[in-house]
Amino acid sequence: MAQSKYDRIIKPNLEVISGMAKKGVSEKDIAEHFNVAYSTFRKYKSEHDSLSEALSYGTEEANAVLSGVLFDMAKGFYKEIERPMKIKRSEYKDGKKVREWEEIEYVKELQYFPPNLGGLALWLTNHDSGNYSKNPKAEVKAADGGVVLLSEIVGDENG
């Protein structure tokens, strides 16, 4: 009996599939990459725990890395970066300048990236949703828990 497409194509490439999921490649694109119909790929996923686990592992690993990046963005961070710097060079012979040129050298420096308010808001709404929400529910209560009476605004003769 001939091997199934799963056994021939998908199973030997589970590590590759996990790596693709880790990089954010959609399941539809993974199926297309291996020349498998998306409906068939979904069927394989439901029938084979190894495929489902490979996809989940890749996605979970990517989420963990991105969660760390988001956390750094929310609080601000330092990162070593390389910057190009133009250096003038000169060549002297017998005390006289005979030629001059410029070169680009890369220097490393520590750069601070301040907190990103969007990253901070996203982190708090996802990790402390009890205290932070995009759509908070307004609750109006009197100090003693009773009904809050709002006074009527009365305009003057001109208003």
Side-chain angles (χ1 to χ4, degrees):
M1 184 175 169
Q3 282 188 321
S4 71
K5 205 168 192 178
Y6 176 83
D7 290 325
R8 283 184 290 115
I9 297 171
I10 302 299
K11 190 174 180 180
N13 289 295
L14 289 175
E15 272 189 50
V16 173
I17 290 169
S18 184
M20 291 173 81
K22 178 180 174 182
K23 291 180 180 175
V25 178
S26 71
E27 290 182 13
K28 187 175 183 177
D29 288 340
I30 293 171
E32 187 177 305
H33 176 80
F34 289 102
N35 202 23
V36 174
Y38 183 48
S39 58
T40 304
F41 190 81
R42 287 194 322 264
K43 182 179 135 209
Y44 289 160
K45 183 179 160 187
S46 67
E47 293 175 351
H48 300 278
D49 289 340
S50 56
L51 175 58
S52 183
E53 288 169 11
L55 290 164
S56 292
Y57 177 76
T59 303
E60 287 170 13
E61 193 172 332
N63 288 345
V65 169
L66 293 175
S67 182
V69 170
L70 179 60
F71 181 73
D72 285 343
M73 285 177 58
K75 67 179 181 59
F77 61 97
Y78 285 93
K79 182 177 180 177
E80 189 174 88
I81 61 167
E82 283 191 347
R83 285 203 185 275
M85 183 176 276
K86 191 184 294 186
I87 307 290
K88 283 193 172 191
R89 305 274 187 206
S90 301
E91 183 180 331
Y92 292 89
K93 188 172 184 177
D94 298 327
K96 292 184 178 182
K97 189 187 310 184
V98 289
R99 77 179 184 127
E100 186 175 80
W101 69 97
E102 293 179 348
E103 292 179 352
I104 302 291
E105 285 189 12
Y106 289 88
V107 294
K108 291 182 180 181
E109 68 181 37
L110 201 58
Q111 184 171 349
Y112 179 66
F113 293 85
N116 176 299
L117 295 181
L120 178 60
L122 184 61
W123 181 269
L124 289 173
T125 56
N126 285 313
H127 289 86
D128 194 5
S129 57
N131 292 313
Y132 299 93
S133 172
K134 285 185 177 181
N135 302 312
K137 293 184 173 52
E139 212 173 285
V140 179
K141 292 183 182 176
D144 62 359
V147 175
V148 175
L149 297 175
L150 302 174
S151 62
E152 187 175 321
I153 299 175
V154 179
D156 61 8
E157 293 176 16
N158 297 329

